[in-house]
Amino acid sequence: GFDPGAAAINHAARPGGSRATVRDHRFRLRVVGTNAARTIVVDSGFRDADRVIAAVIGRLAPGLRAQAMATLARDGVVPFGPLVLGRDQLTWGRAAPLPRARVERIELFPNVPPQLRVMAAGKVLPYGRIDAFAVPAVDVALWLCGELGYPVNVDAMPMP
């Protein structure tokens, strides 16, 4: 299946994985290969941290996207933490499936910390929400949502 832990772009710890975190104005990227002998940490004290983080994400994202698409083709769904994406519906944890036509939007909500939220049409409260940094490969999840035709809103959140 899809294993975002192999090169996840977020801060959720996964042994042998990679992660990047953007919190307020502090940038942090930690890259740990499965056979790596060292860890490289990029944070606000690192020169051009936002450029370095964008470059690493740019290198990792295509492979993660390809892996997500292969998992979708094989299994029909792709899990990203509690969010499980399918072509025609998504699920959040143990909640009943939400058909794509009933998804009002999937968004990064500018909270502290930022939240990944799924809003259902006609509902005030989110269908599901979680600290965006706790979602494996959250940027790939949002990309896949857009590819599958779900309405996505990330305009309110600055991304590296």
Side-chain angles (χ1 to χ4, degrees), residues 68-89:
M69 293 302 284
T71 299
L72 181 66
R74 185 185 61 247
D75 301 338
V77 295
V78 183
F80 293 94
L83 175 64
V84 180
L85 293 172
R87 292 189 187 282
D88 301 318
Q89 66 182 21

Side-chain angles (χ1 to χ4, degrees), residues 8-142:
I9 302 170
N10 64 18
H11 92 309
R14 289 269 182 156
S18 306
R19 57 194 188 246
T21 302
V22 180
R23 289 183 186 226
D24 301 326
H25 297 292
R26 190 178 103 232
F27 295 97
R28 182 180 173 120
L29 173 65
R30 190 172 209 194
V31 179
V32 182
T34 55
N35 295 322
R38 67 182 200 180
T39 299
I40 300 170
V41 177
V42 178
D43 59 20
S44 60
F46 192 90
R47 185 177 185 170
D48 294 326
D50 53 346
R51 186 184 58 77
V52 173
I53 290 170
V56 172
I57 289 172
R59 296 279 308 265
L60 294 175
L64 289 171
R65 289 174 179 181
Q67 189 179 4
M69 293 302 284
T71 299
L72 181 66
R74 185 185 61 247
D75 301 338
V77 295
V78 183
F80 293 94
L83 175 64
V84 180
L85 293 172
R87 292 189 187 282
D88 301 318
Q89 66 182 21
L90 60 79
T91 56
W92 192 282
R94 294 185 176 156
L98 183 63
R100 184 177 53 202
R102 296 217 39 245
V103 175
E104 182 177 311
R105 70 185 174 279
I106 299 170
E107 65 183 358
L108 281 180
F109 186 74
N111 203 7
V112 177
Q115 290 185 341
L116 174 66
R117 300 193 326 179
V118 175
M119 302 301 293
K123 300 290 183 179
V124 174
L125 298 176
Y127 168 77
R129 68 177 174 212
I130 189 170
D131 176 345
F133 299 122
V135 177
V138 67
D139 61 318
V140 176
L142 290 164

